[in-house]
Amino acid sequence: MSTTTATSHNEQKITAASVRARKGAPAAAGGKLAALTAYDVVFARLADASGVDIVLVGDSLGMMVQGHANTLPVTLDEVVYHTKAVVRGVRHAHVVADLPFMSYQASVEDGMRAAGRLLQEGGAEAVKIEGGAEVVPLVARLSSFGIPVMGHVGMTPQWVHQYGGFRVQGRAQEAHDRILEGARALADAGAYAMVVESVPESLGAEITSALSIPTIGIGAGAACDGQILVMHDVLGLDPDWKPRFARRYAQLGQAARAAFSAYVADVREGSFPAAEETFK
């Protein structure tokens, strides 16, 4: 993205309402939505300055930051903490925070309290909820009380054990129909946007066509109204990990390892600190 384009996107704060208005928007009206995850103030500030539309504080922090095998160990307190940090670095992008595992599944009331904390304590401007028809009552309740909800259908990581791993969903007709109907139900309940993850390209296109709200794909094909990727995948922070649906735009993991190695060598041989790095 050019500096000119980034600046034009950053002239005003992006909100849930302006995200919703970008459904099928041509380039002259902002074009497709670009979203990234972030988990701290430094990378949130960099993402915001790039002109990104949405910054998601994802429960993917369990894997990217904490080193877990999946997102299930992440707690609501941890998402609140990371959201606070991200919000401090964002001026223009729309900030969304994930409702983590078991913060909303037991009852609508639990979900209301958890979402309230993400907005009130964390400073998020919307929450993202995984699931289809089963979370419609919560989405409707949150929306009726002014809490914007981003849906998330397809491969929902909080269902990882039921799926038997992180697998593409919606190839079988039954799963295809369930995901499509779930997406429609979420939109009808008041969701203002929809993440569609790891589904066949044809299903991503079908969901996008069926909904009046924007879809944001991750492994769901180019027909979606926008795309989201995990920050670490975009930057190549883990040189040994690259999901099929991601594109590396940098190799910062390799660069960081080289920088650390150079620092270690300088310390060991005594060339750091030099005179200009020492107080007199």
Side-chain angles (χ1 to χ4, degrees):
M1 177 182 290
S2 68
T3 302
T4 301
T5 304
T7 301
S8 66
H9 282 188
N10 281 349
E11 288 176 351
Q12 58 186 354
K13 187 74 172 73
I14 298 171
T15 66
S18 56
V19 167
R20 180 167 187 152
R22 293 271 291 279
K23 173 70 178 180
K32 292 197 173 189
L33 293 157
L36 282 170
T37 66
Y39 316 99
D40 63 33
V41 67
V42 173
F43 281 110
R45 187 179 295 127
L46 291 169
D48 190 52
S50 77
V52 73
D53 299 299
I54 300 167
V55 174
L56 170 68
V57 186
D59 59 3
S60 49
L61 70 89
M63 302 171 73
M64 299 297 107
V65 178
Q66 298 173 339
H68 295 298
N70 53 55
T71 65
L72 302 186
V74 176
T75 68
L76 180 60
D77 285 342
E78 290 168 343
V79 180
V80 168
Y81 171 87
H82 285 275
T83 303
K84 286 180 179 180
V86 165
V87 165
R88 295 184 193 113
V90 172
R91 294 179 56 203
H92 302 287
H94 176 54
V95 180
V96 183
D98 263 341
L99 279 171
F101 182 63
M102 289 313 299
S103 67
Y104 63 94
Q105 285 92 337
S107 69
V108 169
E109 288 71 25
D110 278 357
M112 288 288 294
R113 294 187 189 96
R117 286 193 61 195
L118 289 175
L119 270 66
Q120 188 173 47
E121 298 176 39
E125 296 153 353
V127 298
K128 182 171 73 63
I129 300 176
E130 294 183 19
E134 63 278 359
V135 297
V136 162
L138 175 57
V139 172
R141 183 83 174 273
L142 290 170
S143 299
S144 71
F145 280 94
I147 298 178
V149 179
M150 180 177 288
H152 184 160
V153 298
M155 204 293 293
T156 44
Q158 292 175 20
W159 272 253
V160 61
H161 292 314
Q162 183 168 311
Y163 298 150
F166 295 100
R167 304 178 187 277
V168 173
Q169 300 297 307
R171 284 179 168 148
Q173 190 63 47
E174 181 181 356
H176 169 285
D177 294 345
R178 174 175 48 79
I179 292 168
L180 178 58
E181 290 309 311
R184 284 175 169 151
L186 290 169
D188 290 343
Y192 72 97
M194 190 82 56
V195 170
V196 183
E197 179 170 358
S198 295
V199 300
E201 181 179 22
S202 59
L203 178 53
E206 190 173 356
I207 294 171
T208 300
S209 177
L211 302 188
S212 62
I213 61 173
T215 56
I216 302 169
I218 177 167
C224 294
D225 298 298
Q227 298 292 327
I228 184 167
L229 283 176
V230 171
M231 176 196 81
H232 291 62
D233 297 337
V234 170
L235 297 178
L237 286 170
D238 185 348
D240 301 322
W241 168 249
K242 181 191 175 298
R244 175 173 176 173
F245 54 74
R247 181 182 295 179
R248 282 182 180 163
Y249 287 83
Q251 296 286 354
L252 296 196
Q254 294 178 3
R257 189 158 55 194
F260 295 155
S261 296
Y263 163 71
V264 169
D266 287 351
V267 169
R268 287 177 177 162
E269 70 182 18
S271 63
F272 176 83
E276 63 269 21
E277 294 149 346
T278 305
F279 296 104
K280 302 296 184 183

